[in-house]
Amino acid sequence: MTPDKLEELESLLLDWEDGTLDEPGRKRLRDLIRSDDEARAHYVRLQMMNAVMSLDGEAGIPPTATAEAINGVTETVGNAGTQQVHVRSESSSVKPTRWMLTAAALLIGVLAGRLVQVELSSGIDKPDELGGSIITAEERDLTKEATSQGVALITQLVDVEWASDQRPLDVGDALLPGRFAIASGYAQVEFFCGATVILEGPAELDLQSPLLARVRRGRLRAQVPPAARGFSLEVDDMTVVDLGTEFGLSVTDDGANVQVFDGEVELRQPARKTRSLTAGRAVVRHKDGAFEEAVMAPGHFVDIESLESRVQNQQENRFQRWRAWSEEVRRDERLIAYYAFDRKDDRSRRLSNSLEPSNSELDGAIVGANRVSGRWPSKWGLEFKRPGDRVRVQIPGEYSSLTFCCWVKIDSLDRWYNSLFLTDNYNQGEPHWQILDTGQLYFSVRPTEQGDKGPRDHKALSPKFWKPSLSGRWLHLATVYNTAAQSVTHYLNGQVLSRETIPAVQVVTKTRIGTATLGNWSQPTQPDSSFAIRNLNGSMDEFILFAAALTDGEIRGIYDYGRP
Amino acid sequence: MAGPEKTEHFVQQLATHQNRLHGYVFSLLGDHTRTADVLQETNIVLWRKIDEFELDKPFLPWAFAIARFQVLAHLRDQKRDRLLLDAELAEAVSAEAERQAGHLEELRHALRPCLATLTAGNRDLVERRYFRAMSIADIARDVDRTVSAVKVALLRSRRHLSECIQRRMLAEGEL
């Protein structure tokens, strides 16, 4: 049976399982299964897998459970079953008829519930092994721990198009064991052992461990410093073991091409002599296992230096794209304030506002905060590291709906309240925008004057968005306060985190800012007040405040244009 | 009438091999509901024929033979238009199904580490489709992808799982 016929069989079977296969399709599927032994074996394999997954599914065993956890579950219940049989046989040894009834009852149990069968069966195979109890919290944690392990990090992505079944990833994401596939572009992957692999799409890897990956197809260059010696790549049944070097590997349907640029690699395969390949040599291994000398072509394998220049190119392009967009936005009449952080040569302690036509009244005063690199090398940001670091602004006027957007790089959320933008005090109509230490975005507007009786403020909290792996990455945060729709919507990286309706009495239709602070909270000076540390432990690059409720699409656009 | 010792042994054997019988019947019918029905009939027939069951003879070949008969009877009774395999083709597949069903528990244990090598996204699709029996259309809606994208991802994942399981079972000497 040819590979495309096997694929056709798989595809038809998927439709059959889904209940969407018509009679001509069923006939074709039968013809394919009938065609030869290989087709029948393959069909039965798929069905067995299907049966096992549905049995486990009905037994409530999730696909993430480990084999050990399942052994534990099934063996324990199995033991109980065995014991039951045993105890009953003792009590019934006098009266065979009663024993018959018991056995029949057991059998009916077997007939009635497949759950019982699943659990009994694999247990009776090993009756003397003791397992744990039915999926305990402890076992769940074990499962969790196993799946949260990474084996490598993505350190660069250039012009990457993801394979259709690959969840898009970002630079800085950890890779778990499993498939990693790109349709085009370049990805630099650093294995935890220290080996760096530059992958050129289309390519498909199967990550196994910090030291091992399977290459299904694609072209890559691996750089393996001495500390990472032993890093291996598998192609079919051949293992390319690195002895501290730099090499290229290209895998196609015809075979594998290995080229050693520096150092030495070993080519291991079952039942054959291990071949060693030294610098300047290249071989092609055909599908049948035969080797053939090949011509070196180091230029075909992108190296770190040329990837770096592509990265710079991409960054420059994205920066220019953002700049063009930013020039547009400055004229948006809905703007209240816009700080683009884009005047690179600006050494003063002033944060120029970016409105067009310009209005220097809205410029901010930088207190403490240091200038750091922004989302791109051509741009800067401000780091609020010490408890006093802040930017003071004075924004007059009265508004209704408001939209807050900013790019931030959070080091950690170690304050109870981590400030983004807060008015001094917290008077009637004044908004406070911050992040709680729980990792939730937090927005509120005070509806009454201090001391007045009346409704309390509505505290709009997003679900927890923060996790430590986001540390040090540029994130886009936005919150829309819509007084007409009486709602608050929080966003992370252009996606809605939460949208909630505010009870009518808590909606504040007249909002104002006055004196306010970016990256911190400034209470009015009171000699006896020791104020809480609320600075943002991180950096900010771009802050926009609109006197309107922006749509989901607009927020998405701001994120897309500003993405580093 | 069978004695208590024989009955106990019979019940144990039936429980031990229940998954294997399930896998065998399912691979010939390709339908979960029909499989449950036919398996239940098979169990009842086995129970009725307990007198034919001999302690010193292996249970499984005997049970497979009876299951095969039940499957074929079921296929002949049904209207053809709703079936995957016809009786003739089921006969042709039966020997291979018996062979593989005999290794079902090994497959079940090989499946776990293989599932762990799928991406989280694909594992989620596999869980929805095969563990929770959701339709592809419902899955596509839930994960906000097109039906054809979900199909492609499922086909790839299943191919990957099948290869991985085979490799593992070969390595363990179970094939």
Side-chain angles (χ1 to χ4, degrees):
Chain A
M1 170 158 266
T2 58
D4 50 312
K5 286 213 172 131
L6 277 184
E7 263 179 43
E8 190 186 356
L9 186 155
E10 289 172 355
S11 175
L12 289 169
L13 188 61
L14 188 79
D15 287 342
W16 160 260
E17 290 163 2
D18 198 36
T20 53
L21 191 66
D22 55 11
E23 179 50 31
R26 289 200 291 271
K27 184 175 179 308
R28 175 72 186 148
L29 181 52
R30 279 195 288 272
D31 288 345
L32 285 169
I33 297 170
R34 198 173 281 125
S35 61
D36 62 29
D37 287 350
E38 190 193 346
R40 279 192 288 275
H42 192 58
Y43 161 79
V44 173
R45 266 199 297 278
L46 294 173
Q47 293 294 48
M48 287 296 160
M49 206 163 78
N50 192 341
V52 162
M53 290 193 284
S54 100
L55 284 169
D56 281 355
E58 284 179 31
I61 304 168
T64 45
T66 59
E68 291 70 30
I70 290 165
N71 279 340
V73 175
T74 49
E75 276 159 21
T76 310
V77 181
N79 278 336
T82 325
Q83 273 167 11
Q84 211 174 358
V85 171
H86 183 63
V87 168
R88 300 212 174 168
S89 72
E90 272 178 349
S91 65
S92 61
S93 57
V94 197
K95 295 181 186 170
T97 45
R98 241 191 88 193
W99 163 225
M100 277 291 298
L101 287 173
T102 317
L106 246 176
L107 182 60
I108 288 160
V110 169
L111 299 176
R114 226 180 303 135
L115 184 69
V116 182
Q117 305 156 14
V118 171
E119 289 161 346
L120 275 172
S121 58
S122 62
I124 290 175
D125 286 341
K126 303 173 192 165
D128 38 36
E129 278 180 43
L130 281 174
S133 58
I134 293 172
I135 307 181
T136 61
E138 198 185 335
E139 275 160 353
R140 279 204 190 119
D141 283 346
L142 279 177
T143 323
K144 215 182 202 171
E145 194 173 336
T147 56
S148 67
Q149 278 175 354
V151 294
L153 281 175
I154 299 183
T155 47
Q156 298 286 9
L157 293 171
V158 180
D159 304 329
V160 164
E161 299 272 349
W162 299 101
S164 60
D165 61 337
Q166 169 78 49
R167 186 174 61 88
L169 297 163
D170 275 326
V171 170
D173 278 338
L175 293 173
L176 303 177
R179 211 174 102 91
F180 175 71
I182 56 175
S184 65
Y186 300 89
Q188 182 176 314
V189 176
E190 294 183 2
F191 285 78
F192 287 171
C193 70
T196 299
V197 166
I198 297 173
L199 204 58
E200 181 178 348
E204 200 180 331
L205 286 189
D206 194 350
L207 303 176
Q208 311 262 352
S209 79
L211 266 166
L212 176 67
R214 241 187 125 64
V215 185
R216 298 203 173 271
R217 67 180 176 130
R219 195 182 294 172
L220 63 85
R221 179 186 279 254
Q223 240 188 21
V224 186
R229 245 173 236 155
F231 173 73
S232 307
L233 293 172
E234 289 179 350
V235 182
D236 295 325
D237 61 347
M238 173 178 73
T239 310
V240 182
V241 182
D242 196 294
L243 305 174
T245 180
E246 187 164 347
F247 68 95
L249 173 63
S250 162
V251 178
T252 62
D253 288 342
D254 301 329
N257 182 324
V258 188
Q259 317 210 336
V260 182
F261 308 125
D262 185 25
E264 186 181 356
V265 301
E266 269 180 16
L267 308 177
R268 295 185 189 158
Q269 37 188 348
R272 296 214 196 175
K273 234 183 111 207
T274 294
R275 281 179 77 114
S276 134
L277 207 60
T278 49
R281 291 190 54 209
V283 292
V284 172
R285 182 183 187 260
H286 297 290
K287 275 280 167 197
D288 58 9
F291 281 102
E292 192 186 328
E293 289 288 328
V295 183
M296 286 288 285
H300 285 171
F301 300 87
V302 169
D303 58 17
I304 290 187
E305 291 71 29
S306 66
L307 186 72
E308 190 55 42
S309 81
R310 283 169 203 261
V311 168
Q312 279 169 13
N313 245 330
Q314 175 174 284
Q315 283 182 337
E316 188 55 29
N317 288 343
R318 290 212 177 144
F319 171 66
Q320 292 302 344
R321 205 168 97 97
W322 168 80
R323 190 138 88 176
W325 168 86
S326 170
E327 298 291 340
E328 254 336 278
V329 168
R330 290 162 205 226
R331 293 180 179 79
D332 192 318
E333 290 183 344
R334 299 171 299 177
L335 277 181
I336 301 174
Y338 178 23
Y339 304 98
F341 296 67
D342 65 339
R343 297 242 194 110
K344 208 183 175 195
D345 50 349
D346 190 351
R347 290 276 150 231
S348 70
R349 300 303 287 163
R350 177 183 276 235
L351 179 62
S352 309
N353 87 82
S354 313
L355 294 191
E356 295 283 353
S358 68
N359 174 2
S360 60
E361 284 294 302
L362 292 174
D363 287 356
I366 301 170
V367 181
N370 284 325
R371 283 167 193 259
V372 291
S373 182
R375 278 168 285 165
W376 302 280
S378 324
K379 206 178 158 315
W380 57 279
L382 277 177
E383 184 183 56
F384 305 95
K385 204 71 194 170
R386 292 154 298 190
D389 291 353
R390 71 196 60 207
V391 175
R392 299 279 294 147
V393 296
Q394 162 70 42
I395 300 171
E398 283 189 347
Y399 313 95
S400 187
S401 291
L402 298 170
T403 295
F404 299 78
C405 302
C406 71
W407 281 95
V408 287
K409 186 165 82 177
I410 300 168
D411 294 339
S412 76
L413 295 175
D414 41 13
R415 330 292 195 209
W416 286 4
Y417 298 91
N418 303 269
S419 305
L420 292 170
F421 181 86
L422 291 91
T423 60
D424 292 1
N425 286 306
Y426 183 41
N427 294 322
Q428 188 175 32
E430 292 183 0
H432 276 184
W433 191 39
Q434 47 200 328
I435 311 169
L436 296 184
D437 61 342
T438 52
Q440 299 168 282
L441 260 176
Y442 175 25
F443 180 82
S444 58
V445 182
R446 193 184 178 97
T448 54
E449 276 302 341
Q450 282 197 18
D452 281 6
K453 285 191 178 152
R456 293 184 58 85
D457 63 347
H458 178 81
K459 298 173 172 63
L461 282 170
S462 78
K464 179 180 173 179
F465 73 86
W466 173 258
K467 49 188 181 196
S469 62
L470 292 179
S471 174
R473 289 206 225 174
W474 286 106
L475 306 176
H476 189 254
L477 299 176
T479 295
V480 172
Y481 182 57
N482 189 333
T483 54
Q486 309 192 333
S487 67
V488 174
T489 311
H490 291 298
Y491 301 82
L492 170 69
N493 290 341
Q495 301 288 338
V496 174
L497 279 174
S498 62
R499 192 190 317 273
E500 62 184 285
T501 311
I502 314 165
V505 289
Q506 289 176 301
V507 176
V508 184
T509 51
K510 205 182 279 178
T511 55
R512 56 173 78 89
I513 311 289
T515 50
T517 301
L518 276 171
N520 215 322
W521 187 36
S522 309
Q523 282 181 312
T525 321
Q526 285 173 15
D528 58 342
S529 86
S530 56
F531 67 88
I533 297 170
R534 290 193 177 182
N535 67 301
L536 176 74
N537 183 1
S539 312
M540 190 178 287
D541 167 357
E542 197 170 37
F543 174 86
I544 320 181
L545 176 55
F546 292 92
L550 268 60
T551 62
D552 292 353
E554 286 177 302
I555 300 289
R556 174 82 210 177
I558 293 174
Y559 165 72
D560 281 339
Y561 280 103
R563 212 146 58 95
Chain B
M1 257 306 162
E5 197 189 334
K6 186 173 181 178
T7 313
E8 179 181 354
H9 186 64
F10 174 85
V11 171
Q12 266 202 25
Q13 288 294 308
L14 188 59
T16 301
H17 295 299
Q18 199 60 204
N19 283 348
R20 297 188 182 96
L21 287 171
H22 178 97
Y24 171 81
V25 173
F26 179 79
S27 68
L28 298 181
L29 294 177
D31 178 293
H32 293 293
T33 314
R34 288 172 194 277
T35 299
D37 292 348
V38 170
L39 185 63
Q40 203 170 101
E41 288 160 16
T42 304
N43 282 331
I44 291 169
V45 173
L46 285 168
W47 175 243
R48 282 202 202 114
K49 291 182 186 269
I50 189 168
D51 288 337
E52 290 176 17
F53 170 59
E54 288 166 36
L55 281 177
D56 54 345
K57 274 176 76 180
F59 176 86
L60 202 54
W62 178 64
F64 274 146
I66 289 173
R68 177 169 143 268
F69 188 80
Q70 292 301 317
V71 168
L72 296 178
H74 179 88
L75 289 176
R76 289 194 189 103
D77 288 351
Q78 300 296 314
K79 281 190 184 154
R80 280 188 73 152
D81 61 341
R82 298 220 199 113
L83 298 172
L84 176 59
L85 306 189
D86 50 41
E88 183 202 348
L89 188 51
E91 285 246 47
V93 173
S94 170
E96 177 66 17
E98 257 189 51
R99 196 185 65 77
Q100 289 196 33
H103 293 293
L104 187 109
E105 292 301 329
E106 293 88 328
L107 187 156
R108 194 161 167 239
H109 283 101
L111 172 70
R112 290 290 141 184
C114 291
L115 280 165
T117 65
L118 288 177
T119 61
N122 283 342
R123 199 161 50 230
D124 177 58
L125 295 181
V126 168
E127 170 168 21
R128 287 169 193 263
R129 179 67 200 92
Y130 290 105
F131 284 70
R132 283 152 54 191
M134 285 172 67
S135 75
I136 293 175
D138 285 352
I139 297 171
R141 202 190 50 234
D142 283 6
V143 301
D144 201 17
R145 285 166 70 177
T146 62
V147 164
S148 61
V150 170
K151 275 189 188 174
V152 168
L154 277 172
L155 282 170
R156 284 208 185 144
S157 305
R158 196 170 59 172
R159 169 66 72 94
H160 170 93
L161 283 176
S162 160
E163 286 174 4
C164 174
I165 289 171
Q166 267 197 293
R167 260 206 317 279
R168 282 196 159 262
M169 289 174 69
L170 269 174
E172 306 273 314
E174 283 161 349
L175 273 181

